[in-house]
Amino acid sequence: MSNLDRQASLSVCGGRGFVVAEPVRELLNPRHVQLGESTEVRRLLPNLGRRMVGAWCFVDHYGPDDIASEPGMQVPPHPHQGLQTVSWLHEGEVLHQDSLGSRATVRPRELGLMTSGSAISHSEQSPVPHPRYLHGAQLWVALPDRHRHVDAHFEHHATLPRATAPGLTATVILGSIDGATSPGTTYTPIVGADLALTAGANVQLPLEPDFEYAILSMSGEVHVDDVPVLPGSMLYLGCGRTELPLRAESNAGLMLLGGEPFAEEIVMWWNFIGRSNEEIAQARSDWMDGDRFGEVKGYNGASLPAPELPAVPLKPRGRVR
C-alpha cells in the first residue's frame, strides 16, 4: 500500500534514543488518511509520539468497510525502496501486481510480503468482483543498511503456523511465537502475529524481554495489561516484558508487533526509506523521470506521481520528539 499523502513530510525514525527500555502502556491515537475514493485508513505509525516499534515503521488500519457498491481499494502503481510491505486481511481480498511480474490475490490471514530492496513498484486493488467487506492492515518493515539493497522479491504464504492456548489462536506473520515460526523472510530480529481471542479469554502471551512491542486492536473489546484498547488504536508496550496479560470481553482480533529496537537512524518520506535527504531526492527523481523502479504491467491506469519534496531538508540527529 502506498502513502498517498500529497503533503508527505520527511521523518527521522529509528535509533535507540527512541526506545523505552522498560515496560510502559502508551496509547497511540491514529491519524485519519483518505486512501483512494472509498477507503479511509487510520495511521498509527509513524506517530507524533512514536516513530517505530522494532523495525516496524508504518502501520495503517482500515475497515471494516462495506464496499459492495464501491470500487474498494484502488492504489495505482507506486514505488518503494529500503523496506518490506506486509499485507494482512481480516476480511476481503487484495490483488497485488508488481514490476517483477508478480500477481497474487491476498485473502484473509494470508501473508503478502514484498521486499523492495533498492527498487520496486506495485499496485493494490480490490478485485472485480470482490467480497462485500474490506478490513485489514498494511505495514512496513525497515530494512537494515546491510540488506537494503537486496534483490527485490515478493512472497505469498497462504498457510501460516499457529500457536494456541485456551481462548487464543496466534497466527505467526513474521518471526516466531512460542515455537511457531513464519516462513516469511526477515532481515532483523522481529515478530508479527495475528491474535484471535474468544470472549472471556484471559491469557498470558510469552514475550522476548529484549524486544519492544505494541498491540494494534483490529476488532472487539479487549484489555491489554489492564488497558482497554479500542479497534483502530495501538498500545505501545516498551521493552523488558516476558509476558503480556490479555483479557477479552468479546471475541476480539489483535496484531502483536515487536522486535529488537532498530539501532540505525533512517529518513522516511512518501514511499521511500533512505539514509539521507539526497538519497530520497534521487529516488523521487528516478520514479518521476527514470525506469529504475520498473513497470507494473497489467494495471489499467496511470502510475501515482510523487508529491513535491519539502523545502526544508531534514537531517538525522539524535532523538526526535
Side-chain angles (χ1 to χ4, degrees):
M1 184 178 294
S2 170
N3 178 1
L4 298 187
D5 193 344
R6 305 309 297 171
Q7 303 291 322
S9 59
L10 283 161
S11 297
V12 173
C13 304
R16 294 189 183 275
F18 287 93
V19 178
V20 179
E22 60 186 6
V24 296
R25 298 181 295 179
E26 180 183 305
L27 194 62
L28 305 180
N29 293 315
R31 180 167 65 95
H32 294 263
V33 178
Q34 196 66 31
L35 188 72
E37 297 178 2
S38 58
T39 303
E40 182 183 79
V41 302
R42 291 164 288 279
R43 184 151 299 161
L44 283 311
L45 287 180
N47 191 289
L48 183 62
R50 181 62 45 197
R51 301 298 178 89
M52 296 180 72
V53 178
W56 300 98
C57 61
F58 182 95
V59 176
D60 276 353
H61 172 248
Y62 54 89
D65 296 324
D66 186 340
I67 59 170
S69 59
E70 302 287 345
M73 185 179 292
Q74 298 294 325
V75 182
H78 58 278
H80 286 291
Q81 75 165 29
L83 56 89
Q84 294 177 290
T85 65
V86 176
S87 299
W88 191 254
L89 290 171
H90 276 194
E91 294 181 274
E93 296 178 352
V94 173
L95 172 63
H96 165 97
Q97 298 181 102
D98 63 41
S99 53
L100 302 175
S102 311
R103 180 184 173 93
T105 299
V106 180
R107 297 179 173 86
R109 292 178 174 83
E110 297 180 354
L111 173 59
L113 178 64
M114 186 180 76
T115 301
S116 71
S118 57
I120 198 171
S121 59
H122 73 141
S123 64
E124 292 173 294
Q125 299 172 274
S126 296
V128 180
H130 54 65
R132 178 173 180 176
Y133 293 103
L134 181 64
H135 182 205
Q138 183 75 17
L139 313 98
W140 298 354
V141 177
L143 290 171
D145 188 64
R146 67 184 180 277
H147 293 302
R148 66 192 182 100
H149 299 297
V150 68
D151 290 342
H153 58 278
F154 176 74
E155 303 170 43
H156 181 205
H157 299 287
T159 303
L160 294 169
R162 294 179 175 181
T164 61
L168 169 68
T169 299
T171 302
V172 187
I173 302 169
L174 290 178
S176 300
I177 288 282
D178 200 26
T181 301
S182 166
T185 302
T186 60
Y187 295 92
T188 58
I190 195 171
V191 67
D194 183 270
L195 309 178
L197 293 100
T198 59
N202 194 345
V203 297
Q204 300 281 337
L205 186 71
L207 300 181
E208 295 289 338
D210 292 337
F211 281 15
E212 60 176 338
Y213 288 96
I215 287 281
L216 169 64
S217 176
M218 301 283 285
S219 61
E221 299 180 42
V222 65
H223 287 73
V224 180
D225 197 13
D226 291 327
V227 177
V229 185
L230 299 177
S233 60
M234 176 182 284
L235 185 68
Y236 176 71
L237 298 162
C239 299
R241 295 175 180 267
T242 57
E243 59 184 16
L244 180 64
L246 302 172
R247 187 177 78 252
E249 306 298 327
S250 66
N251 291 345
L254 307 172
M255 292 188 74
L256 173 74
L257 307 175
E260 185 177 284
F262 199 78
E264 301 170 24
E265 286 191 334
I266 61 176
V267 177
M268 185 162 66
W269 177 80
W270 197 44
N271 298 299
F272 304 133
I273 290 180
R275 298 301 186 275
S276 68
N277 294 285
E278 292 76 17
E279 187 180 340
I280 295 295
Q282 185 63 57
R284 183 191 183 279
S285 176
D286 290 346
W287 172 244
M288 296 297 290
D289 301 316
D291 57 5
R292 171 183 152 201
F293 291 92
E295 178 186 357
V296 180
K297 296 182 179 179
Y299 179 85
N300 184 21
S303 296
L304 192 68
E308 294 296 325
L309 280 165
V312 179
L314 195 64
K315 294 183 179 180
R317 59 172 75 178
R319 183 169 182 174
V320 176
R321 296 183 182 273

